Amino acid sequence: MSDIDDRLLALVDSVVASDEKRLPLLTLDEARAAIELLQLLSAGNGDGSYAARHLAGKLARRLPAE
């Protein structure tokens, strides 16, 4: 895992660990599109690919079942 993956994961995990009430930032369609883009990014082995896989999985688990 690269340094950028470590930094991105720290940001993602700190936001998810927050316990305050939040409003949705994305519509369901936007969230699905973001997941697809993250999956494309994670398909490579470049900087950020591990963090992209991690974030795509977290977002996908939070979406309602279709």
Side-chain angles (χ1 to χ4, degrees):
M1 203 166 26
S2 68
D3 288 340
I4 194 155
D5 281 312
D6 288 335
R7 287 194 308 261
L8 290 170
L9 288 172
L11 286 171
V12 168
D13 291 339
S14 68
V15 170
V16 172
S18 175
D19 202 17
E20 63 189 48
K21 282 192 167 199
R22 295 179 302 239
L23 295 174
L25 296 177
L26 303 171
T27 66
L28 286 177
D29 289 337
E30 291 169 333
R32 287 185 180 104
I35 290 168
E36 285 189 41
L37 289 170
L38 286 165
Q39 289 170 336
L40 285 173
L41 176 62
S42 71
N45 287 324
D47 286 344
S49 62
Y50 182 85
R53 248 186 318 279
H54 180 73
L55 183 54
K58 281 184 168 248
L59 289 174
R61 286 188 295 277
R62 295 181 77 177
L63 288 179
E66 290 187 42

